[in-house]
Amino acid sequence: MNPADPARALELLSRSPVFRGASPADLQPLAALGTFRTLRRGEVLFRAGDALDTLFLVSSGSVRVYRVVRGGTRELTLHVEGPRQLVAGVGVLGGSDPAPAHAVALQTPTEVLCLPAAAVREQVFGTPALAAAVIAALARRQAELLARLEGLVFSELGERLAAYLLEHAADDPHALPTNSDLAALLGTVPELVSRKLGEFYRLGLIQLERRRVRVLDRPELERLAGRTGGEGRASDPR
Amino acid sequence: MNPADPARALELLSRSPVFRGASPADLQPLAALGTFRTLRRGEVLFRAGDALDTLFLVSSGSVRVYRVVRGGTRELTLHVEGPRQLVAGVGVLGGSDPAPAHAVALQTPTEVLCLPAAAVREQVFGTPALAAAVIAALARRQAELLARLEGLVFSELGERLAAYLLEHAADDPHALPTNSDLAALLGTVPELVSRKLGEFYRLGLIQLERRRVRVLDRPELERLAGRTGGEGRASDPR
DNA sequence: CGGGTGATTGAACTGCTTCAAAACATGTGG
DNA sequence: CCACATGTTTTGAAGCAGTTCAATCACCCG
């Protein structure tokens, strides 16, 4: 696996949704500068506070981006990025030099394309189609983040977990992450995840076997997830 | 007050931090297209779900951008934008057509410069310096938002209120917004704001007289706000 | 002076947190 | 193949912050 491989880099760049709308000619200069890097599970891409001089584009595997809060007692996973997704996009392009979050590889062969920040900025800002695509991607990301956090603030764990199950376990037997990872994603602690999953199981909403789930009662889960946008207890009729 | 006034528009545009780095020549075409609009307190700029074909730049007064959650039982203020700040920036530039939030004027003479979205997009994407400045501004905004919401999720009301007081009531007698507005900003309900303010008063941390506050014990408030980043109850030694 | 808005207080309740311990799984070395 | 050590999941139980409903109080305005 050659660290520099312009052809593969160009292929990856042109398939990434962030750079959609750019012509191969626009991406060529970036591909020439990119190098591939392979990580093992748990390996650190960068830490919060690091200077950000590189942009990462996931090629295979996945990367977890998270922040540590509560004086180190708690982790909040911001996103988990899979293939063709950008890591550190906002930080690098927005010029926020110290990285605002940590990033580690989640799977054992995780390969990322590393692009020098300065070159990316220059290319992006100078190419209208690229600038538009990147801004759109950042905006989309921001909207997701906003929705996620709004859910964290205003809806209860049951709703968030139901939503998670609907989104990720829709396809039959689905392997759950560990309770700790789920907790970091949902903004709570492993104990609560365990309790809520048990509750759903007892209600017959899901089938649980080891770390595999299967959704049994989709309509009820949807009701719990609050299709209307999280009415919570305000919804109970009286 | 003439609705169209290219000279004033240009002046405003070139002083706005979002467009910093652009030459007057770059901004000229936008200024020519802008129209001013004056609003009264409570007047709606746009509602969540509206098609966003206009970008707003606050000229005077202030605009509150907020979302309605919990099935309409609760409001969360995302930002309050003062002069030279952009409203609807992410939505318009990112191409998320239906507005993701509501926006209303907070003060009675609030004047905004309205710019047609399509023209702004074209100008921004086609001008490298502008694209860079705008992306940086959006990224900064996103970082603020992230910090705000993270605080909402992981720190307690006392911490958030203390932080608010330190930030906004630093200068002597400071006029507080109504408890409802404060609640929308802090992500809670008016009752809790009242209770916490009362508690701070009883502890001798602040002086309260009508809607005016004065910080009496700054060090203690800073301790409560959790300088270290919100350790919450995890901090108490044992 | 009455009426309406916002502020305050009371009280019951819910969901989350935290600490702690038990149950279970998984891998290691004897 | 068992015994042990380690880590994760599950369950228990006490406590607290925030929510909600509701009632009272203070103030401003005409």
Side-chain angles (χ1 to χ4, degrees), chain A residues 53-70:
Chain A
D53 55 359
T54 312
L55 194 72
F56 303 95
L57 190 54
V58 178
S59 166
S60 68
S62 59
V63 172
R64 181 170 84 106
V65 180
Y66 65 99
R67 293 175 71 139
V68 173
V69 285
R70 266 320 224 336

Side-chain angles (χ1 to χ4, degrees), chain A residues 74 156-157 160 188-189 191-192 195 210 233:
Chain A
R74 203 109 140 209
E156 297 170 4
L157 180 56
R160 281 176 270 149
T188 181
V189 290
E191 291 97 316
L192 270 245
R195 286 188 221 271
R210 317 209 98 294
R233 60 185 110 178

Side-chain angles (χ1 to χ4, degrees), chain B residues 74 157 188 191-192 195 210:
Chain B
R74 204 111 139 208
L157 180 56
T188 184
E191 290 97 316
L192 271 247
R195 287 188 221 270
R210 319 211 96 297

Side-chain angles (χ1 to χ4, degrees), chain A residues 41 64 77 80 106 161 164-165 168-169 174-186 193 197 208 210-213:
Chain A
R41 173 180 168 84
R64 181 170 84 106
T77 297
V80 173
L106 264 190
L161 183 56
Y164 175 90
L165 288 173
H168 295 86
H174 168 88
L176 282 182
T178 73
N179 280 1
S180 310
D181 288 348
L182 252 184
L185 209 53
L186 299 176
V193 173
L197 278 175
L208 254 184
R210 317 209 98 294
R211 292 277 83 202
R212 305 198 75 79
V213 272

Side-chain angles (χ1 to χ4, degrees), chain A:
Chain A
M1 204 169 290
N2 196 333
D5 185 341
R8 266 182 71 221
L10 183 59
E11 159 99 9
L12 180 59
L13 281 167
S14 56
R15 289 183 174 226
S16 165
V18 186
F19 297 116
R20 186 187 312 155
S23 68
D26 295 331
L27 296 173
Q28 187 63 61
L30 290 181
L33 291 169
T35 57
F36 283 96
R37 182 174 156 199
T38 306
L39 304 158
R40 286 188 308 279
R41 173 180 168 84
E43 210 167 331
V44 172
L45 213 49
F46 54 85
R47 297 186 173 286
D50 286 0
L52 270 183
D53 55 359
T54 312
L55 194 72
F56 303 95
L57 190 54
V58 178
S59 166
S60 68
S62 59
V63 172
R64 181 170 84 106
V65 180
Y66 65 99
R67 293 175 71 139
V68 173
V69 285
R70 266 320 224 336
T73 61
R74 203 109 140 209
E75 292 184 355
L76 177 65
T77 297
L78 297 179
H79 350 260
V80 173
E81 301 297 0
R84 298 179 200 171
Q85 296 297 315
L86 216 56
V87 172
V90 198
V92 164
L93 293 162
S96 85
D97 208 32
H102 304 271
V104 304
L106 264 190
Q107 286 161 41
T108 278
T110 286
E111 192 187 36
V112 297
L113 174 63
C114 309
L115 300 161
V120 175
R121 269 199 285 263
E122 195 180 323
Q123 191 69 22
V124 166
F125 299 153
T127 314
L130 259 186
V134 164
I135 290 186
L138 295 185
R140 218 177 309 129
R141 177 71 63 81
Q142 173 163 347
E144 285 167 22
L145 206 51
L146 189 61
R148 274 270 317 283
L149 292 175
E150 193 181 276
L152 279 185
V153 178
F154 292 109
S155 58
E156 297 170 4
L157 180 56
E159 300 177 44
R160 281 176 270 149
L161 183 56
Y164 175 90
L165 288 173
L166 285 171
E167 190 173 348
H168 295 86
D171 49 331
D172 271 348
H174 168 88
L176 282 182
T178 73
N179 280 1
S180 310
D181 288 348
L182 252 184
L185 209 53
L186 299 176
T188 181
V189 290
E191 291 97 316
L192 270 245
V193 173
S194 178
R195 286 188 221 271
K196 273 291 167 198
L197 278 175
E199 189 181 314
F200 285 0
Y201 171 76
R202 256 168 271 123
L203 289 170
L205 306 183
I206 57 175
Q207 198 178 32
L208 254 184
E209 194 171 332
R210 317 209 98 294
R211 292 277 83 202
R212 305 198 75 79
V213 272
R214 163 179 247 159
V215 172
L216 293 181
D217 188 346
R218 174 168 262 274
E220 180 62 9
L221 269 185
E222 278 171 351
R223 206 188 57 74
L224 282 176
R227 321 304 288 140
T228 48
E231 340 186 7
R233 60 185 110 178
S235 70
D236 61 73
R238 49 180 61 208

